[in-house]
Amino acid sequence: MAPKGKKANATEKQKDREEEREDPLQAVILCDSYETRFNPFTLERPRCLLPLANTPLIEYTLEFLANAGVEEVFVYCGAHTEQVEEYMQLSKWTSRSSPFAKLELIRSTSRSIGDAMRDLDKRAILAGDFLVVYGDVISNLPLEAALAVH
């Protein structure tokens, strides 16, 4: 009988955590890597649109965020913004069936991650918990435990 009690407590704790989090879980995708490691591939195309198995890397990133329960996504671009914007407009992530309540593209002239974070702070669009990831993240790591700790 003890295991049933533990499961009930775990379920109650999860419900408490969900009630505590009033703000939606947000994510910022940095489409610029602010480095030249992938040159010459990234001279004419952003790293997030480079293909892996004929799929742009940003698709893997968005899938990862959707599986993590992210509700609002901000795609932060500087270089090659037009290409990222065009891709996103044609993608499944901007359709009505998208798992995200909000997906917004942000144009920027940032030259570093620090500049990007200061710019996001000035815009005051992030509230509560948020993730910052590069646009080329390939992961299926569950984030629930890490989010619960923080």
Side-chain angles (χ1 to χ4, degrees), residues 30-63:
L30 298 173
C31 289
D32 292 332
S33 60
Y34 305 108
E35 57 188 45
T36 58
R37 187 170 46 183
F38 279 82
N39 283 352
F41 302 113
T42 56
L43 291 176
E44 295 182 14
R45 179 189 290 184
R47 193 162 86 182
C48 67
L49 293 182
L50 293 177
L52 176 66
N54 292 325
T55 303
L57 292 170
I58 198 167
E59 284 291 322
Y60 297 99
T61 305
L62 290 163
E63 193 70 41

Side-chain angles (χ1 to χ4, degrees), residues 87-132:
Y87 180 80
M88 293 304 294
Q89 287 175 351
L90 300 174
S91 75
K92 67 180 181 181
W93 304 104
T94 56
S95 70
R96 288 185 176 166
S97 62
S98 172
F100 305 121
K102 181 177 189 177
L103 191 136
E104 182 179 328
L105 190 113
I106 299 172
R107 293 175 172 263
S108 167
T109 58
S110 298
R111 302 188 76 96
S112 69
I113 295 172
D115 288 346
M117 295 309 296
R118 283 185 286 279
D119 183 42
L120 287 166
D121 186 45
K122 284 181 189 174
R123 294 173 190 251
I125 57 175
L126 299 174
D129 297 335
F130 67 94
L131 302 168
V132 178

